[in-house]
Amino acid sequence: MRSPAYKEWRAGVESVQGCLQPVRLTGKWEVRHLGSGDLIASRQGRVWASCGTRRAAVCPTCADRYAADAWHLIHAGMSGGKGVPDTVARSTRLFVTLTAPSFGAVHNRPGKRPCSCGRWHPDGYRLLGSPINPGAYDYVGAVLWQAHSGKLWHRFTIALRRAVAAASGLTVRESGAHMRISYAKVAEYQGRGLVHFHAVIRVDGPTGPDSEPPAWITPDVLADAVRSAASSVELGTVRPDGTPLPLRWGTQVDVKDITATDIDIPDGADDDGDQAVADTRLAGYIAKYATKGTGATETGDRRIRSQAHIDRLTVSDHHRAMIQTAWDLGGLDQYADLKLRHWAHMLGFRGHFLTKSRIYSTTFKNLRAERRAHQLQTALIEAGLPEDTDVLVVNDWQILGIGYDTREQIELATAIGDRIRAARQQARKESR
């Protein structure tokens, strides 16, 4: 820390806000006037770039940025902004949770009664989510359900449109002249290693969020359609021995109306009845799941390379069995299209953690483009040029390395990142 190189190293860490997997680059960049070709600004040497991961277990700093973008994406579809009109706040909207079916009894904390094993389990109990009888647990069914859950969601959205159209006495094609259904969903791992999906489902008018939905699309009508669609969806596959395996949603389908101002925030936070506050908190509640991993510890959030890798994992027996099952099924020709070995570290889940329909709101690409545009405008102002100056940015970089060289550097970078994140959170609280 006393060496001359430490200040340069620390400046690199701070430039990426304490990223734990930074990409170190060497090269140069130039900003030139697009018309005249005159050099406006340039830099040559070494720079650091953030890793950009979404998983908090890998890099909390980059996961924070991803969660912030996810919040804007979800919130804009609920309250407007980022190119979405604020009239969406008057559209019929539901907060829906779809779960996985049971593949065997697991240790849990029901609250008012003991676990199925006959005992009461405290928070943090190491067996929570694991099977009561591992030998009887359907690991093959669980992994295959997980691998098809994205397609199951797609089937649900199709069935939902049909159910809403049927409620109005219209065909799906005819209903398009009256309304459009959009959504944003995020996947969350439960303690048993299976995902369930949280989603904001919204009904707009025929042209999207800039038009009013028909008056007959009430929250109750939409809620009934959600439950009907969830119960009707079925996807067929087979077990390794050829036995048919029908895949469905779990019986627990949670539906909350978020059109009204008295929404009950799922995480138990108090709500003062203000719709903007409710939308903000609910968007944060959903967005935080976009950065979570499998729950199989940090080691289980990295791609599996071999059987020896599985044997060395520091995970629970249940998660190891899920990973092992995905690895074994991935070696069978009949499941080659599922690429289960590629996704064994995710317990067979192959989908994106946050997806949305096209017209729900803005995109991650647009949010990042806004950030780049703001940085460019700042650079132009510092150079004494108008913000709307047309420029050409030229980059020429080569990778020197990724991550840090020693455990001590990782510990220092973690401490620096923690301080930066704590200061940012405090500033956010004070601004509120």
Side-chain angles (χ1 to χ4, degrees):
M1 294 178 68
R2 294 176 179 174
S3 68
Y6 174 72
K7 289 186 177 180
E8 180 182 353
W9 178 88
R10 184 185 179 98
V13 176
E14 292 176 341
S15 70
V16 291
Q17 305 294 301
C19 172
L20 296 186
Q21 298 288 331
V23 181
R24 303 190 303 279
L25 305 168
T26 183
K28 65 178 182 179
W29 64 268
E30 295 178 347
V31 179
R32 294 184 175 273
H33 194 284
L34 190 60
S36 65
D38 294 339
L39 181 66
I40 297 175
S42 66
R43 179 175 176 178
Q44 186 169 353
R46 298 183 178 185
V47 298
W48 292 30
S50 302
C51 67
T53 184
R54 64 156 194 88
R55 294 203 296 274
V58 177
C59 179
T61 294
C62 292
D64 276 357
R65 185 179 298 113
Y66 185 95
D69 285 349
W71 182 89
H72 283 293
L73 185 150
I74 294 167
H75 187 264
M78 298 172 65
S79 300
K82 303 297 180 181
V84 181
D86 57 11
T87 52
V88 296
R90 297 195 296 270
S91 295
T92 300
R93 302 169 300 158
L94 299 179
F95 177 62
V96 176
T97 299
L98 300 182
T99 62
S102 174
F103 295 97
V106 298
H107 293 281
N108 56 19
R109 298 181 62 253
K112 295 182 179 179
R113 60 185 184 278
C115 174
S116 300
C117 70
R119 300 180 180 179
W120 294 88
H121 299 315
D123 285 328
Y125 180 58
R126 63 183 181 84
L127 292 180
L128 286 178
S130 63
I132 294 175
N133 183 0
Y137 193 80
D138 185 7
Y139 281 104
V140 170
V143 170
L144 289 177
W145 184 92
Q146 191 113 286
H148 290 88
S149 59
K151 186 177 290 186
L152 205 58
W153 171 265
H154 178 65
R155 295 280 183 90
F156 165 75
T157 60
I158 295 173
L160 177 60
R161 291 182 176 93
R162 291 173 178 169
V164 172
S168 63
L170 302 171
T171 66
V172 174
R173 177 172 293 184
E174 291 171 342
S175 68
H178 302 273
M179 64 182 180
R180 294 191 68 174
I181 298 176
S182 60
Y183 68 86
K185 76 163 177 67
V186 65
E188 179 205 2
Y189 278 92
Q190 297 173 294
R192 55 180 173 149
L194 293 168
V195 296
H196 59 193
F197 293 126
H198 301 290
V200 173
I201 298 177
R202 190 186 73 218
V203 180
D204 302 313
T207 61
D210 60 345
S211 57
E212 292 284 343
W216 55 265
I217 296 290
T218 64
D220 288 340
V221 170
L222 184 57
D224 288 342
V226 166
R227 295 187 180 96
S228 174
S231 64
S232 67
V233 170
E234 182 176 309
L235 188 65
T237 187
V238 296
R239 296 180 182 274
D241 61 1
T243 304
L245 176 63
L247 304 174
R248 304 182 183 90
W249 293 109
T251 56
Q252 182 181 353
V253 178
D254 188 47
V255 181
K256 288 185 172 65
D257 174 20
I258 54 175
T259 306
T261 58
D262 58 349
I263 176 177
D264 179 23
I265 303 301
D267 60 3
D270 291 335
D271 179 18
D272 60 5
D274 187 294
Q275 184 64 52
V277 173
D279 287 354
T280 296
R281 291 178 178 174
L282 184 57
Y285 170 81
I286 300 172
K288 72 178 182 180
Y289 287 117
T291 66
K292 291 182 66 177
T294 63
T297 76
E298 181 178 349
T299 306
D301 281 337
R302 287 177 167 79
R303 191 158 293 157
I304 304 299
R305 302 296 182 185
S306 65
Q307 180 61 52
H309 188 178
I310 298 176
D311 296 338
R312 291 195 300 268
L313 289 175
T314 55
V315 297
S316 68
D317 292 341
H318 176 56
H319 284 106
R320 187 187 305 279
M322 291 282 289
I323 294 170
Q324 185 68 63
T325 301
W327 183 264
D328 293 342
L329 292 176
L332 302 178
D333 291 340
Q334 67 189 97
Y335 302 120
D337 61 322
L338 299 180
K339 296 181 173 58
L340 286 172
R341 289 196 168 182
H342 184 83
W343 298 107
H345 67 299
M346 303 308 291
L347 313 184
F349 179 63
R350 306 181 303 127
H352 291 287
F353 275 77
L354 193 156
T355 60
K356 71 175 189 68
S357 56
R358 186 172 62 85
I359 67 166
Y360 174 80
S361 68
T362 186
T363 64
F364 281 111
K365 181 179 179 180
N366 290 340
L367 291 172
R368 290 160 184 163
E370 286 183 13
R371 199 152 46 231
R372 287 193 297 269
H374 174 73
Q375 292 170 346
L376 180 59
Q377 289 176 356
T378 301
L380 290 174
I381 292 173
E382 291 177 351
L385 296 172
E387 295 181 19
D388 57 352
T389 303
D390 291 330
V391 297
L392 177 66
V393 181
V394 182
N395 287 284
D396 181 19
W397 301 103
Q398 293 82 41
I399 294 180
L400 291 175
I402 298 176
Y404 297 100
D405 297 327
T406 65
R407 185 176 297 275
E408 288 77 14
Q409 287 184 353
I410 294 175
E411 291 178 357
L412 284 171
T414 300
I416 293 170
D418 288 345
R419 284 197 292 271
I420 292 174
R421 292 170 61 222
R424 187 186 299 121
Q425 291 171 0
Q426 182 62 33
R428 191 178 298 125
K429 288 181 180 179
E430 292 176 355
S431 67
R432 290 173 182 170

